[in-house]
Amino acid sequence: MATQFGPCLSSSTTFIPSSHFKNETTVLFNRLVVTLPRKSTWLSQIHSRIHGQKHFHLKCSNGHPLNAVSWHDGFDGSPVAKEHLKPQDKEGLSIPVSEEEKENSTLSITVVGASGDLAKKKIFPALFALFYEDWLPKNFTVFGYARTKLTDEELRNMISGTLTCRIDQRENCADKMDQFLKRCFYHAGQYDSEEDFSKLDSKLKDKEAGKVSNRLFYLSVPPNIFVDVVRCASLRASSSHGWTRVIVEKPFGRDSESSGELTRCLKQYLTEDQIFRIDHYLGKELVENLSVLRFSNLVFEPLWSRAYIRNVQLIFSEDFGTEGRGGYFDNYGIIRDIMQNHLLQILALFAMETPVSLDGEDIRNEKVKVLRSMKPLQLEDVTVGQYKGHSKSGRSYPAYTDDPTVPKDSLTPTFAAAALFINNARWDGVPFLMKAGKALHTRRAEIRVQFRHVPGNLYKRNFGTDLDKATNELVLRVQPDEAIYLKINNKVPGLGMRLDRSDLNLLYRARYAKEIPDAYERLLLDAMAGERRLFIRSDELDAAWALFTPMLKELEEKKIVPELYPHGSRGPVGAHYLAAKYNVRWGDLSGDDS
Ligand SMILES: NC(=O)C1=CN([C@@H]2O[C@H](COP(=O)(O)OP(=O)(O)OC[C@H]3O[C@@H](n4cnc5c(N)ncnc54)[C@H](OP(=O)(O)O)[C@@H]3O)[C@@H](O)[C@H]2O)C=CC1
Ligand SMILES: O=C1O[C@H](COP(=O)(O)O)[C@@H](O)[C@H](O)[C@H]1O
């Protein structure tokens, strides 16, 4: 059966059925599928007895203890990441792991699509950064896999150019790079060839040298190849006595139907717990900090509702166009590329109720509730744009349709603004405005929270007629130059009574000397540790698509023509009309911050 994602099944293969029920977990043990109650203590006792191992606690980036023995993935019992941690030296993350365990287990990371843009730009550099900071296990190997014929040496040369050392940690950097590159190997193969994956398996086994082997596959390939790779990897290159996990890159389909199909296909070879759907915005420092800000400070949570918040704005802009990715982009557009995933995930984290605990499932349960409480997006609450060519200071900037991989008559939006609503007691009536665009005047991602006007404000006359200018606004600047600042009103010092707007500003680079790790580092580390909190569960994905699919279909069926905006501008004026419909002004264009 051919699908957008390739065939789910190949006639020559037997597939491993998997099931995933609420309150149950499916484990694959030497291809035996057992469904067991989740979190059962007796299971852990059985597990300990089988392996004669003590349970130890692995703390992940949420600082929450995880069971390092991942029974979700298999009875491997082997520690994975962070085993090098010396007690207390990594922000309180310590893992007592015996020397014997360190020696006897190994981690193999296979980057599928290693010749590609993302692998070079993000994945190999993130793996190196983890290695440099001692986050990777003692025994690990990195394999690149793609069709391009490369030798190990050629792969090393290719990636060495993209590895960088942290600004604040350059000590022994060149040596560390050499050590890392020596652990990198390459295997050329087709994505749909079980034979080629069998050969990869032999090479992996060779490096694993009989140790308990855990295998992580990173699918850094176009989405139509996902299922082929998962089929071949799970059938021919799964670990036989360790866990096997697969990180899947977006896009996870282009609507509810194709996303459901992708999930169904993937689950023919993998359990849900083996699938790590990545949304790299969840790995960004400021997005991680959102929950900390809310739930560990008394001052914010009481204000976090319709009673005090007038609107929330989620803004993404890039100051470059689709450059080189037009072929991919034209099939998706900005709404699918940024809004349905990155911005919606931030919205869910922002708006969720307090989770029962920091456990990944508890957090994801709360996010799903938010998504399910939302009203599907209406076409009249969306405005779309597309950038056109523009000349400035003697330089000319191309239009979206100048990209040779984009049809000249493309209606694909490179900009969109949307108003979403959450129908629950906390957020009823509060507009959540999203705005995302390519080829705008600046590169920026931020969350803006505009609070209500002060009732009966004694200082009203000092603000003139425009009370919006006096509204408190909390801004979480995700990038660049990470910051959290709160706009407040204060008195200008002096004998008169003049009011001023000031920022209470937590600027990360001023407060912390340490360079902020890239989102991919955190996410890779969590996948290695079996921490799923920052990955998208299939029900979250379904709920996210349910919100966007009807509107996307209507947009395409009605062939809505996007409003053209000049490359490098602030975007189409339609975004202002949409905001005005809900009595909102975009905070990023208000003058004091733009
Ligand atoms: N690049 C980015 O910034 C981002 C990318 N992503 C996602 O990550 C994944 C990888 O992205 P990226 O690295 O940009 O992708 P690329 O287009 O660079 O593809 C990666 C590799 O896949 C192989 N490949 C490409 N096209 C095809 C094809 N039509 N058929 C078979 N193989 C093909 C090529 O390897 P070879 O020919 O050697 O086999 C290529 O090097 C995609 O799913 C993308 O959507 C997500 C966020 C950001
Ligand atoms: O997922 C994607 O993200 C990038 C932007 O990521 P960032 O971390 O650099 O902000 C975007 O350029 C790309 O179109 C999209 O697919």
Side-chain angles (χ1 to χ4, degrees):
M1 178 179 39
T3 68
Q4 191 196 345
F5 309 104
C8 281
L9 291 172
S10 140
S11 52
S12 62
T13 57
T14 47
F15 70 87
I16 308 164
S18 67
S19 57
H20 182 76
F21 303 106
K22 237 182 171 179
N23 303 321
E24 289 179 334
T25 196
T26 305
V27 291
L28 282 148
F29 179 47
N30 288 345
R31 305 224 168 155
L32 243 182
V33 180
V34 193
T35 302
L36 298 159
R38 202 180 271 279
K39 292 180 180 167
S40 69
T41 45
W42 60 265
L43 174 60
S44 63
Q45 285 160 10
I46 290 171
H47 177 271
S48 303
R49 268 185 238 137
I50 292 171
H51 294 277
Q53 284 175 342
K54 275 191 236 108
H55 268 199
F56 47 86
H57 291 289
L58 173 66
K59 286 185 179 176
C60 286
S61 63
N62 62 354
H64 179 72
L66 250 190
N67 208 331
V69 179
S70 173
W71 62 47
H72 297 280
D73 297 319
F75 287 102
D76 58 283
S78 52
V80 193
K82 302 177 188 172
E83 58 177 6
H84 275 289
L85 294 181
K86 296 123 217 153
Q88 314 311 329
D89 68 348
K90 301 269 181 187
E91 297 151 33
L93 304 172
S94 63
I95 312 157
V97 176
S98 70
E99 279 307 312
E100 195 190 342
E101 284 161 350
K102 276 193 216 172
E103 288 304 328
N104 293 338
S105 68
T106 168
L107 172 67
S108 302
I109 304 159
T110 304
V111 181
V112 183
S115 56
D117 180 58
L118 185 74
K120 280 185 268 191
K121 224 170 53 188
K122 292 289 183 184
I123 306 168
F124 288 114
L127 287 170
F128 170 64
L130 292 175
F131 172 73
Y132 185 90
E133 294 206 13
D134 256 357
W135 287 97
L136 294 186
K138 177 164 187 261
N139 303 312
F140 80 92
T141 309
V142 177
F143 261 85
Y145 185 105
R147 296 171 307 178
T148 304
K149 299 250 177 300
L150 293 177
T151 60
D152 293 343
E153 218 36 57
E154 283 166 337
L155 172 85
R156 290 170 189 159
N157 285 338
M158 182 183 86
I159 59 180
S160 65
T162 66
L163 307 184
T164 52
C165 293
R166 298 230 197 279
I167 299 164
D168 52 345
Q169 290 179 25
R170 294 188 175 273
E171 212 181 303
N172 302 328
C173 190
D175 290 351
K176 282 281 201 178
M177 273 188 198
D178 284 346
Q179 289 166 26
F180 176 76
L181 290 171
K182 279 188 189 135
R183 308 266 202 118
C184 295
F185 303 90
Y186 187 77
H187 181 71
Q190 298 298 318
Y191 298 115
D192 59 354
S193 163
E194 288 183 36
E195 198 189 330
D196 289 344
F197 275 86
S198 287
K199 287 180 191 153
L200 171 72
D201 183 60
S202 306
K203 284 191 180 172
L204 292 176
K205 281 193 177 124
D206 211 36
K207 304 285 175 221
E208 290 161 357
K211 295 184 175 33
V212 171
S213 58
N214 296 310
R215 293 187 179 175
L216 180 66
F217 289 86
Y218 197 122
L219 265 55
S220 183
V221 283
N224 58 324
I225 302 163
F226 288 169
V227 179
D228 277 334
V229 174
V230 165
R231 174 173 56 80
C232 296
S234 78
L235 295 173
R236 300 293 168 215
S238 281
S239 170
S240 52
H241 56 305
W243 53 251
T244 302
R245 294 176 191 149
V246 181
I247 300 181
V248 186
E249 259 297 345
K250 61 179 264 263
F252 315 119
R254 60 187 308 285
D255 52 23
S256 291
E257 212 180 13
S258 51
S259 166
E261 175 74 348
L262 174 62
T263 299
R264 194 181 63 75
C265 286
L266 294 179
K267 286 193 185 176
Q268 289 187 331
Y269 305 103
L270 301 168
T271 62
E272 173 67 19
D273 285 344
Q274 289 178 285
I275 305 171
F276 288 70
R277 295 179 194 83
I278 204 164
D279 183 316
H280 75 281
Y281 266 65
L282 290 181
K284 299 214 179 232
E285 190 62 43
L286 260 283
V287 178
E288 270 284 81
N289 200 16
L290 185 52
S291 296
V292 178
L293 193 74
R294 269 188 77 184
F295 301 124
S296 76
N297 291 298
L298 186 68
V299 293
F300 293 114
E301 188 52 21
L303 305 181
W304 223 252
S305 75
R306 65 193 300 276
Y308 296 99
I309 292 179
R310 208 152 48 103
N311 67 74
V312 181
Q313 304 177 12
L314 304 151
I315 298 171
F316 168 96
S317 70
E318 276 179 344
D319 55 1
F320 49 90
T322 52
E323 280 139 49
R325 293 186 75 222
Y328 148 80
F329 192 86
D330 202 60
N331 194 24
Y332 290 89
I334 199 79
I335 299 174
R336 293 182 176 94
D337 192 44
I338 302 293
M339 284 187 169
Q340 181 272 349
N341 37 66
H342 304 327
L343 297 189
L344 190 63
Q345 282 297 321
I346 296 177
L347 183 154
L349 270 180
F350 180 96
M352 71 183 183
E353 297 299 315
T354 313
V356 173
S357 76
L358 289 176
D359 180 87
E361 296 318 309
D362 288 334
I363 293 173
R364 298 198 294 185
N365 288 343
E366 291 308 325
K367 281 165 62 198
V368 176
K369 279 193 217 159
V370 173
L371 298 176
R372 290 206 181 128
S373 307
M374 288 175 73
K375 194 170 120 197
L377 190 51
Q378 306 295 303
L379 190 57
E380 60 267 27
D381 283 336
V382 178
T383 181
V384 289
Q386 190 186 84
Y387 62 90
K388 60 179 182 184
H390 181 58
S391 294
K392 204 163 105 188
S393 320
R395 247 193 97 179
S396 61
Y397 297 86
Y400 172 63
T401 50
D402 288 339
D403 185 323
T405 57
V406 170
K408 286 278 167 250
D409 58 353
S410 172
L411 296 179
T412 301
T414 58
F415 175 97
L420 292 113
F421 293 88
I422 305 172
N423 292 333
N424 66 15
R426 188 187 280 263
W427 296 114
D428 193 8
V430 177
F432 282 77
L433 292 181
M434 284 183 183
K435 186 166 70 161
K438 294 210 173 249
L440 293 170
H441 74 299
T442 185
R443 176 175 173 261
R444 176 188 288 195
E446 60 190 12
I447 308 164
R448 286 180 171 263
V449 188
Q450 292 188 345
F451 291 92
R452 294 197 180 280
H453 303 310
V454 175
N457 195 333
L458 285 175
Y459 295 97
K460 207 170 175 172
R461 65 183 184 82
N462 300 65
F463 302 120
T465 49
D466 192 353
L467 278 186
D468 276 4
K469 288 209 169 120
T471 188
N472 292 123
E473 189 173 16
L474 175 68
V475 182
L476 282 85
R477 191 163 65 222
V478 176
Q479 67 188 30
D481 218 4
E482 291 83 348
I484 301 174
Y485 56 98
L486 179 65
K487 291 177 186 254
I488 55 147
N489 302 302
N490 61 289
K491 179 183 166 301
V492 177
L495 298 178
M497 177 53 74
R498 253 190 339 115
L499 298 201
D500 196 12
R501 284 259 280 174
S502 303
D503 291 348
L504 298 181
N505 195 354
L506 166 58
L507 183 61
Y508 274 47
R509 74 179 143 76
R511 174 80 177 89
Y512 301 106
K514 200 168 158 38
E515 197 180 325
I516 294 176
D518 188 77
Y520 282 87
E521 293 173 38
R522 189 190 312 280
L523 293 164
L524 275 160
L525 192 57
D526 277 2
M528 291 170 203
E531 165 65 72
R532 293 166 181 81
R533 186 177 53 100
L534 299 178
F535 295 88
I536 317 295
R537 210 166 59 186
S538 66
D539 55 345
E540 274 186 271
L541 186 60
D542 293 346
W545 276 121
L547 291 174
F548 281 85
T549 298
M551 182 280 301
L552 284 166
K553 287 210 163 125
E554 209 180 330
L555 190 75
E556 281 156 11
E557 275 160 20
K558 291 188 172 157
K559 297 196 185 329
I560 304 289
V561 179
E563 184 184 337
L564 295 178
Y565 60 96
H567 193 305
S569 69
R570 286 162 197 261
V573 72
H576 297 280
Y577 289 124
L578 177 71
K581 182 174 157 188
Y582 293 105
N583 218 0
V584 177
R585 279 188 217 174
W586 292 106
D588 62 326
L589 302 178
S590 66
D592 45 350
D593 259 26
S594 47

